[in-house]
């Protein structure tokens, strides 16, 4: 159901039926009585048998050819777009999941990818809007050295939505272990940083990474602005940076983004406006998201 292939199969069946009728006329084999009346209406009664047979055989061959070509074209197009998936899996993704609801998931951290892994089996119209305030680990180092948005959470979401081979997904999660500058860096983070350099923009690099992984849906940073998460504790201490805030032992009184009022990514805003369903989380949503959209 919903594969949009039945129409071409039906066209082939119609063509085969027309060929059969033409052969009956050519061989002058008698047709069942209850079919005769209908056959006289749709056939060229009164014309020579060679004319009638030629018309029906030609029409049937045309229908079969048209149906076969369109069916082959549909299957080839789907196979080329989903080279790493089996044919019927590709059909299911392209025809059924592509007709699913438009879902936007806003969040970050380690739990968002788990949600995306489940959602991609229900619809391929998924937009993951990912926070970009991370300043720790490999992401924080690439952010400070290259001046790009932190790629870590975005990488995790790309892998979660991927339909690529398992080795490619493991490659994206691979972390270097050395005594040099590569120690602790994720290959996927470096790849996204490289693609951002090639594309000239971080968002373009994310799109290119999504194409490499053949993801279902899209992953978009919440903002293209280099933002920093700040907080104030109950004791009056000011904290700067997501990693610092996450390690704080005192209760937090307030959270904010710097610079304030950072503009949302245009693609994220468009996805939210067109969404059938918007999911915040699943972990507690950081207020760092809200100034971006509302």
């Amino acid at each position: 159901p919903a594969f949009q292939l039945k129409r071409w199969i039906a066209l082939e069946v119609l063509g085969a039926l027309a060929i059969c009728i033409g052969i009956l006329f050519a061989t002058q084999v008698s047709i069942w009585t209850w079919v005769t009346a209908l056959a006289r209406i749709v056939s060229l009664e009164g014309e020579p048998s060679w004319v009638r047979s030629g018309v029906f055989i030609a029409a049937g061959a045309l229908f079969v050819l048209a149906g076969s070509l369109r069916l082959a074209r549909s299957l080839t197009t789907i196979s080329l777009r989903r080279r790493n998936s089996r044919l019927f899996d590709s059909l299911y993704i392209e025809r059924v999941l592509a007709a699913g609801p438009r879902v936007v998931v806003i969040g970050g951290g380690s739990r968002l990818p788990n949600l995306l892994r489940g959602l991609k089996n229900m619809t391929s119209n998924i937009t993951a809007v990912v926070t970009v305030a991370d300043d720790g680990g490999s992401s924080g180092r690439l952010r400070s050295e290259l001046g790009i948005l932190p790629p870590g959470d975005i990488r995790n979401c790309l892998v979660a939505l991927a339909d690529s081979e398992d080795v490619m997904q493991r490659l994206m999660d691979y972390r270097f272990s050395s005594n040099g500058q590569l120690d602790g860096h994720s290959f996927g983070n470096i790849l996204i940083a490289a693609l951002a350099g090639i594309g000239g923009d971080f968002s373009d690099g994310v799109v290119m990474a999504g194409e490499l992984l053949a993801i279902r849906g899209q992953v978009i940073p919440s903002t293209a602005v280099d933002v920093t998460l700040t907080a104030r504790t109950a004791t009056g201490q000011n904290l700067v940076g997501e990693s610092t805030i996450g390690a704080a032992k005192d209760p937090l009184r307030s959270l904010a983004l710097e610079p304030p009022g950072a503009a949302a990514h245009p693609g994220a805003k468009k996805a939210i406006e067109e969404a059938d369903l918007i999911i915040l989380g699943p972990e507690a949503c950081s207020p760092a998201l809200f100034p971006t959209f509302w």
Side-chain angles (χ1 to χ4, degrees):
F3 279 178
Q4 297 182 18
L5 299 176
K6 296 186 295 293
R7 65 190 68 178
W8 310 127
I9 297 174
L11 185 60
E12 289 181 318
V13 172
L14 179 63
L17 180 61
I19 291 176
C20 291
I21 294 175
I23 293 174
L24 289 175
F25 288 145
T27 57
Q28 298 183 351
V29 175
S30 61
I31 306 175
W32 296 280
T33 304
W34 63 272
V35 178
T36 304
L38 178 62
R40 286 175 177 172
I41 296 175
V42 299
S43 66
L44 303 174
E45 187 176 17
E47 296 293 333
S49 60
W50 66 269
V51 174
R52 301 169 73 188
S53 64
V55 169
F56 274 89
I57 291 175
L62 182 62
F63 287 153
V64 170
L65 180 62
S68 299
L69 289 176
R70 293 303 297 267
L71 181 61
R73 180 181 178 184
S74 297
L75 294 176
T76 301
T77 301
I78 292 172
S79 298
L80 289 176
R81 282 205 295 258
R82 299 283 173 179
R83 296 182 180 181
N84 297 316
S85 301
R86 294 176 298 177
L87 177 59
F88 281 99
D89 290 339
S90 300
L91 288 172
Y92 184 74
I93 293 170
E94 292 287 332
R95 301 303 192 192
V96 178
L97 296 186
R102 295 182 293 269
V103 180
V104 174
V105 186
I106 305 174
S110 59
R111 298 181 187 177
L112 179 60
N114 293 329
L115 177 62
L116 296 176
R117 287 187 181 93
L119 282 175
K120 76 176 184 180
N121 295 316
M122 303 175 64
T123 177
S124 59
N125 296 316
I126 303 172
T127 299
V129 179
V130 186
T131 56
V132 288
D134 188 11
D135 62 351
S138 172
S139 293
R141 289 160 59 189
L142 290 174
R143 180 179 182 180
S144 61
E145 292 177 17
L146 302 179
I148 62 172
L149 296 178
D153 289 347
I154 288 176
R155 182 200 80 242
N156 291 333
C157 292
L158 288 170
V159 172
L161 292 174
D163 269 333
S164 59
E165 296 179 358
D166 181 61
V167 64
M168 187 64 181
Q169 298 182 36
R170 284 164 33 201
L171 182 63
M172 291 290 288
D173 283 334
Y174 177 80
R175 287 191 179 274
F176 295 95
S177 178
S178 70
N179 296 323
Q181 295 183 351
L182 278 177
D183 185 54
H185 271 304
S186 164
F187 174 82
N189 290 353
I190 295 175
L191 176 63
I192 294 173
L195 292 174
I198 294 173
D201 179 77
F202 183 80
S203 297
D204 291 338
V206 173
V207 172
M208 295 167 69
E211 293 174 352
L212 285 175
L213 291 170
I215 64 172
R216 301 183 195 178
Q218 60 179 342
V219 178
I220 303 176
S222 59
T223 178
V225 180
D226 184 16
V227 293
T228 302
L229 188 62
T230 63
R232 186 177 181 84
T233 67
T235 59
Q237 182 183 8
N238 293 319
L239 304 176
V240 178
E242 185 177 291
S243 57
T244 303
I245 296 171
K249 296 181 179 180
D250 294 333
L252 301 180
R253 177 174 295 172
S254 63
L255 282 169
L257 271 185
E258 293 293 339
H265 190 287
K269 291 183 66 175
K270 184 174 185 294
I272 290 173
E273 291 169 354
E274 297 177 351
D276 298 312
L277 175 66
I278 300 174
I279 303 174
L280 298 175
E283 49 200 333
C285 292
S286 168
L289 291 168
F290 301 141
T292 307
F293 299 105
W294 297 282

